Amino acid sequence: MKTLTANQQLWTDELNSGKHKQGKGGLQYGDRHCCLGVACLVYERETGIKLDRHGGELIGGALRGGYGTVKEWLGLRESFGRMDPTGKDRTSLVVLNDHNSLSFEEIAKVIEDNSDLLFVEETA
């Protein structure tokens, strides 16, 4: 386990904040977000850069396409938040959010405990 970067810590703090309603199946549905949708909100707040929305909502279920900048900003290895760099184990933050029904607080703990698997190494 490695120390979280400032951006990663902002994300886990936001997941632990209790400010957001948790949703499943996409980054955003109405006033609900998945854990990666919360990452998008933190990115927008911290960078001042607004992400593309369709009908006022963040669309899709992963940090790719127009949301790839959030993936890069966080240093995530993979757009679904998979923890196995070999790709053999399909467990990801998306699966934990949508199918395992972990709370945001539980997902924040998974992020903290698996930071070495989730995030790329920082370069100097």
Side-chain angles (χ1 to χ4, degrees), residues 63-118:
L63 297 178
R64 57 184 172 194
Y67 306 115
T69 55
V70 179
K71 175 183 163 274
E72 298 301 321
W73 184 75
L74 288 171
L76 274 172
R77 289 184 191 275
E78 200 275 330
S79 61
F80 289 91
R82 287 193 185 104
M83 290 173 265
D84 180 1
T86 69
K88 292 177 183 174
D89 182 352
R90 306 296 274 179
T91 300
S92 66
L93 298 177
V94 169
V95 168
L96 296 176
N97 186 94
D98 292 0
H99 303 291
N100 292 24
S101 298
L102 265 62
S103 69
F104 281 158
E105 294 82 6
E106 291 168 320
I107 292 170
K109 179 79 169 120
V110 168
I111 292 167
E112 292 164 354
D113 291 348
N114 295 281
S115 57
D116 53 334
L117 300 174
L118 285 164

Side-chain angles (χ1 to χ4, degrees), residues 4 7-23 27 33-42 45 74 76 93-94 96-97 102-112 118-119:
L4 296 178
N7 294 345
Q8 295 160 3
Q9 189 64 57
L10 287 166
W11 181 28
T12 57
D13 289 348
E14 195 73 12
L15 289 170
N16 281 315
S17 73
K19 294 178 187 174
H20 305 281
K21 293 180 183 177
Q22 191 168 3
L27 297 174
H33 296 82
C34 78
C35 61
L36 298 180
V38 171
C40 291
L41 297 176
V42 174
R45 181 186 73 211
L74 288 171
L76 274 172
L93 298 177
V94 169
L96 296 176
N97 186 94
L102 265 62
S103 69
F104 281 158
E105 294 82 6
E106 291 168 320
I107 292 170
K109 179 79 169 120
V110 168
I111 292 167
E112 292 164 354
L118 285 164
F119 302 107

